[in-house]
Amino acid sequence: MTGTNTGRKVGEVAAATGLTVRALHHYDEIGLVRPSGRTAGGHRLYTEADLVRLYQVTAVRRLGLSLEQTATLLDGHAGVREVIDEQLAQVDRQIKAAVRLRRQLLTARERAADGDGFLEIIRLTQDAQELRDHLPAERVEELRRRMTDLGVVAEHAVAVEMPTLYAEAQDEMRGGTPVTDPAVRRIVDRLDELGALLRGQNTEAAGAARSMWLARGREHAHEWDSADWPDLVAYLDRARAARRPHDTGNRGPE
């Protein structure tokens, strides 16, 4: 069909499927759904069979499957039951992690009433102990004092906003969002802002936190929330590198 005008253009397909033009372009680039035709000018054209494939992708993705799992399933390289069982196992791990986090947050809230909320957040994240393996004790103490001075601002950043941003970044990565996308840029910029806020003048903390988190990802690779942690770190690094040189001076520990 190359060079013909038979089929639907990408804008029409986006409107019909609810997918973004960017997503359609990405699906084409990775081979998940490639349009069968092109116009004389080289623009994508989708046939009815292509649309069926897109609807199948959309349906499968609603089950929470990654793009790789979706391709494996639709291309017949794995059975439906096998892929769903794999996804169920991941959901079960997520539920267990959420229950554990809820229990820890309840403890943190109770201790906050006794003026010890920040210390519990540090215990929750395990950062204080692990940082000692990557940072001199006096620098850890400086960081602790800095975050204690910030009070609830630090608690919210560590326990709420940063985990949320990492979860959003993980979703973007798993969804195949390019690192140059504005959504990813927003996440990286905010993570760097929070990192700079939390460490203050403690410039060694950025490298120490990075080393600590990479080590944590390797040591706990069996856990659902860190299974692709090194990939996520690399993804965020690429997003930072994609920024203009004068935009990268505020790099945080993330």
Side-chain angles (χ1 to χ4, degrees):
M1 287 179 55
T2 302
T4 73
N5 288 316
T6 304
R8 299 193 191 188
K9 293 183 178 178
V10 68
E12 299 176 72
V13 173
T17 61
L19 296 167
T20 64
V21 171
R22 175 174 58 80
L24 291 171
H25 286 177
H26 183 64
Y27 288 179
D28 182 10
E29 290 166 3
I30 65 175
L32 181 59
V33 183
R34 285 187 169 142
S36 299
R38 296 273 176 173
T39 67
H43 297 293
R44 297 170 174 85
L45 288 175
Y46 292 80
T47 64
E48 292 302 315
D50 297 333
L51 285 176
V52 169
R53 170 86 172 189
L54 282 170
Y55 285 128
Q56 290 173 337
V57 167
T58 301
V60 170
R61 293 279 286 156
R62 284 178 183 151
L63 296 176
L65 271 64
S66 67
L67 291 175
E68 183 179 0
Q69 288 174 315
T70 299
T72 298
L73 178 61
L74 295 184
D75 291 340
H77 300 309
V80 175
R81 184 182 182 89
E82 177 186 345
V83 174
I84 290 179
D85 283 347
E86 178 184 327
Q87 187 66 8
L88 279 172
Q90 179 172 314
V91 170
D92 286 341
R93 290 193 293 270
Q94 292 173 349
I95 290 172
K96 289 178 182 178
V99 170
R100 182 173 64 250
L101 177 58
R102 185 178 189 277
R103 189 163 55 243
Q104 292 172 323
L105 287 172
L106 287 172
T107 301
R109 186 177 66 177
E110 292 171 2
R111 297 206 178 194
D114 299 326
D116 197 23
F118 172 71
L119 292 180
E120 183 57 31
I121 291 297
I122 288 296
R123 293 189 190 98
L124 184 154
T125 59
Q126 303 176 3
D127 286 356
Q129 182 59 43
E130 293 183 42
L131 270 175
R132 291 189 179 96
D133 296 331
H134 303 275
L135 198 64
E138 61 271 20
R139 292 288 183 251
V140 174
E141 179 59 22
E142 286 177 12
L143 189 60
R144 188 197 67 77
R145 287 198 301 269
R146 166 75 177 176
M147 296 178 75
T148 299
D149 290 341
L150 289 170
V152 294
V153 173
E155 291 186 20
H156 184 271
V158 172
V160 179
E161 190 170 3
M162 293 178 80
T164 298
L165 288 166
Y166 279 122
E168 290 177 2
Q170 190 175 55
D171 287 343
E172 297 290 354
M173 179 186 71
R174 289 176 172 172
T177 305
V179 296
T180 54
D181 189 272
V184 180
R185 170 66 181 272
R186 175 190 62 79
I187 293 171
V188 167
D189 285 349
R190 184 54 181 160
L191 282 171
D192 287 355
E193 288 173 3
L194 291 172
L197 171 69
L198 294 175
R199 73 174 182 269
Q201 299 302 312
N202 193 340
T203 56
E204 293 179 56
R210 176 183 174 80
S211 298
M212 176 191 72
W213 288 339
L214 282 171
R216 182 184 298 173
R218 288 191 296 269
E219 292 167 6
H220 303 281
H222 61 285
E223 298 178 6
W224 76 269
D225 53 351
S226 60
D228 53 3
W229 182 253
D231 291 338
L232 180 59
V233 171
Y235 180 75
L236 294 173
D237 280 349
R238 291 197 301 274
R240 290 186 176 96
R243 297 185 298 195
R244 295 187 299 274
H246 64 271
D247 289 335
T248 57
N250 192 33
R251 176 171 178 164
E254 299 74 40

